[in-house]
Amino acid sequence: MTSSTAAPPAARWADFAGAEPALAATVEARFGAFTHHTLATLRKDGSPRTTGLEVRFLNGELWLGMMPGSLKALDLRRDPRFALQANPGDGTGMGGGDVRIGGRAVEVEDPVVRSGYVKEVEPPEPFHLFRTELTEVVRTRVEDDAYLVVQVWQPGKPLRTLRRD
């Protein structure tokens, strides 16, 4: 018996922001609050690797830029799946909640696209540039000091909100 698992549906940042503008604004604000965030990729042996990373929201895309030959870039070239978590900041306040994004990273080689990114971001060169395709966006927060609220967005599905006490 053979089994094949199709990749889950994915969407660009602009698609997500158009579908759920309030949640997208909250997610962007959480990522904008700090410079460094945590990226999880998969090593050759399938085990997870977590590393620090800066992200950019530009022109309707969520971009991941990386140093040339970095292990995270090599991981993504081999297996594009990733998880990205916004820096929670100091203490336990986490204004806006905890936000995570799952998806696939697509390396961008197009010189015109890369040039536009360089104009906006001015990264050290050379560098790897990945455009993201989102498979899930999750926001977790505490409401009224009593409920854990989890919002889950996936392409093609309505936003789900779960409340736990």
Side-chain angles (χ1 to χ4, degrees):
M1 179 170 148
T2 43
S3 68
S4 68
T5 54
R12 291 180 147 182
W13 183 260
D15 299 327
F16 164 60
E20 294 296 334
L23 180 56
T26 298
V27 171
E28 283 193 47
R30 286 295 297 127
F31 278 99
F34 297 93
T35 303
H36 296 97
H37 307 286
T38 302
L39 176 72
T41 58
L42 295 170
R43 300 172 192 254
K44 285 181 191 178
D45 68 2
S47 63
R49 179 191 318 273
T50 59
T51 54
L53 179 77
E54 295 180 28
V55 301
R56 303 287 182 180
F57 296 90
L58 296 170
N59 303 319
E61 302 283 6
L62 169 56
W63 300 98
L64 311 176
M66 299 168 201
M67 293 172 47
S70 67
L71 293 175
K72 58 191 159 197
L74 298 177
D75 287 347
L76 290 173
R77 281 181 163 177
R78 186 175 44 259
D79 186 328
R81 293 176 294 171
F82 72 89
L84 179 65
Q85 184 161 8
N87 184 330
D90 295 335
T92 59
M94 290 197 345
D98 174 59
V99 294
R100 300 180 310 278
I101 297 170
R104 297 184 292 270
V106 177
E107 190 161 16
V108 176
E109 300 288 346
D110 181 302
V112 173
V113 174
R114 290 176 63 86
S115 174
Y117 182 85
V118 168
K119 283 181 186 174
E120 291 286 333
V121 178
E122 299 179 357
E125 295 194 54
F127 65 98
H128 295 283
L129 181 62
F130 294 87
R131 177 184 55 77
T132 61
E133 296 179 345
L134 312 180
T135 57
E136 182 177 71
V137 177
V138 179
R139 176 186 181 206
T140 305
R141 70 184 192 282
V142 176
E143 187 175 277
D144 299 329
D145 291 327
Y147 301 97
L148 182 67
V149 179
V150 180
Q151 294 176 289
V152 180
W153 177 87
Q154 295 172 313
K157 296 180 181 178
L159 180 66
R160 291 182 297 141
T161 301
L162 312 160
R163 284 184 171 74
R164 297 184 186 133
D165 55 4

